[in-house]
């Protein structure tokens, strides 16, 4: 009857609509188009000048010859020896302060001359990828003479550090001043974070006043005796960024 016709019409309409939709999906196509463009890749390399040490203050003049204490692409290339001199007629008690004698280096020419320089420490990091690093110093033993007499409470203070670099890479000097003693642990001098601190990095303490460096001072607060007193310093370079070094 009429209802059946209406149902059939609806059914046919639905089928027709569906076939049209699916027909569009299946039969639609387009021609593939590929276009090409060309560019260039470029890299500039400068091979490392494989030297162990570099002069932290090369100007003016020919610079100095620095005997390396370590070699290699990740190393402490130089650290200073601290000599606080000979002193007569000192009191047996009371505070004493002595400035470090300047270091002497041979000039980097054929003259054989020597020049005085302020104390510095230098590290080298020429690894392809730097993990960062930390340089520390520690007074391992107290100042002691041949009779085993110790200068209790003696300390060394490093002041007015300045940074010099052979390459432009971010490095941080951590404290000013830094004081070490046998009663305390190691102290951070400078450091770099991951991917930084590459090349040769030097920390120099101040400038000289004649033949002494007033920026490195030994203080002896208590009793003392006659004799030559020596102490051992340990300089350590770790491949850990200073922000992570405890």
């Amino acid at each position: 009857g009429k209802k059946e016709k209406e149902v059939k019409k609806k059914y046919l309409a639905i089928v027709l609509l569906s076939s049209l939709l699916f027909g569009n999906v299946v039969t639609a196509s387009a021609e593939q188009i590929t276009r090409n463009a060309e560019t260039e890749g470029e890299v500039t390399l400068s091979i490392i000048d494989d030297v162990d040490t570099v002069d932290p203050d090369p100007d003016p003049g020919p610079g100095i010859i620095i005997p390396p204490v370590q070699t290699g692409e990740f190393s402490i290339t130089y650290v200073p020896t601290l000599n606080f001199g000979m002193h007569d007629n000192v009191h047996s008690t009371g505070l004493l302060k002595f400035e470090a004698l300047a270091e002497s280096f041979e000039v980097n020419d054929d003259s054989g001359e020597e020049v005085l320089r302020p104390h510095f420490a230098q590290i080298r990091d020429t690894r392809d990828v730097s993990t960062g690093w930390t340089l520390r110093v520690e007074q391992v033993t107290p100042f002691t003479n041949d009779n085993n007499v110790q200068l209790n409470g003696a300390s060394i203070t490093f002041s007015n550090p300045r940074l010099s670099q052979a390459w432009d890479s971010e490095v941080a000097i951590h404290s000013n001043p830094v004081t070490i003693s046998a009663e305390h642990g190691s102290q951070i001098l400078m450091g770099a974070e991951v991917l930084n601190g590459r090349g040769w990095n030097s920390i120099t303490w101040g400038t000289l006043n004649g033949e002494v460096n007033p920026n490195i001072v030994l203080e002896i607060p208590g009793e003392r005796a006659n004799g030559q007193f020596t102490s051992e310093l340990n300089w350590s370079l770790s491949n850990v960024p200073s922000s992570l070094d405890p």
Side-chain angles (χ1 to χ4, degrees), residues 137 156-159 161 174-180 187-189 205:
V137 64
I156 302 171
T157 298
F158 300 81
S159 302
H174 275 252
S175 300
N176 178 31
V178 169
T179 299
I180 60 173
Q187 300 295 318
I188 296 178
L189 297 174
W205 289 280

Side-chain angles (χ1 to χ4, degrees), residues 63-65 67 102-117:
I64 57 175
I65 298 174
E103 290 202 289
S104 181
F105 295 91
E106 184 179 347
V107 177
N108 191 16
D109 58 18
D110 296 328
S111 66
E113 294 181 3
E114 294 190 350
V115 293
L116 299 180
R117 286 287 188 88

Side-chain angles (χ1 to χ4, degrees), residues 10-124:
K10 289 180 180 178
Y11 176 77
L12 290 172
I14 291 170
V15 171
L16 178 62
L17 179 61
S18 298
S19 64
L20 286 172
L21 288 173
F22 287 114
N24 286 341
V25 172
V26 172
T27 60
S29 63
E31 181 183 357
Q32 179 176 332
I33 299 174
T34 301
R35 293 185 172 89
N36 299 309
E38 295 182 355
T39 62
E40 292 184 348
E42 181 178 310
V43 61
T44 301
L45 301 178
S46 177
I47 303 302
I48 294 171
D49 185 10
D50 192 21
V51 297
D52 294 313
T53 56
V54 298
D55 189 343
D57 294 309
D59 297 321
I64 57 175
I65 298 174
I66 304 168
V69 298
Q70 292 179 359
T71 60
E73 64 179 11
F74 185 63
S75 57
I76 301 174
T77 58
Y78 186 78
V79 288
T81 297
L82 305 181
N83 185 347
F84 295 96
M86 298 177 61
H87 305 277
D88 297 326
N89 302 317
V90 298
H91 293 288
S92 60
T93 59
L95 179 63
L96 293 176
K97 292 186 179 183
F98 300 120
E99 299 171 346
L101 301 180
E103 290 202 289
S104 181
F105 295 91
E106 184 179 347
V107 177
N108 191 16
D109 58 18
D110 296 328
S111 66
E113 294 181 3
E114 294 190 350
V115 293
L116 299 180
R117 286 287 188 88
H119 305 76
F120 66 93
Q122 184 178 102
I123 73 100
R124 171 184 174 176

Side-chain angles (χ1 to χ4, degrees), residues 35 52 55 58 60 62 73 81 99 136 143 146 149 200 203 244:
R35 293 185 172 89
D52 294 313
D55 189 343
E73 64 179 11
T81 297
E99 299 171 346
R136 290 176 168 270
F143 282 91
D146 292 338
V149 176
W200 289 259
I203 179 172
L244 301 178

Side-chain angles (χ1 to χ4, degrees), residues 122-172:
Q122 184 178 102
I123 73 100
R124 171 184 174 176
D125 185 2
T126 52
R127 297 171 292 175
D128 289 334
V129 178
S130 175
T131 59
W133 49 263
T134 302
L135 178 67
R136 290 176 168 270
V137 64
E138 178 182 7
Q139 184 180 342
V140 180
T141 61
F143 282 91
T144 308
N145 68 6
D146 292 338
N147 296 322
N148 207 33
V149 176
Q150 298 181 356
L151 300 179
N152 296 320
S155 63
I156 302 171
T157 298
F158 300 81
S159 302
N160 299 316
R162 51 188 170 87
L163 178 68
S164 59
Q165 299 175 282
W167 297 357
D168 185 15
S169 188
E170 188 172 344
V171 171

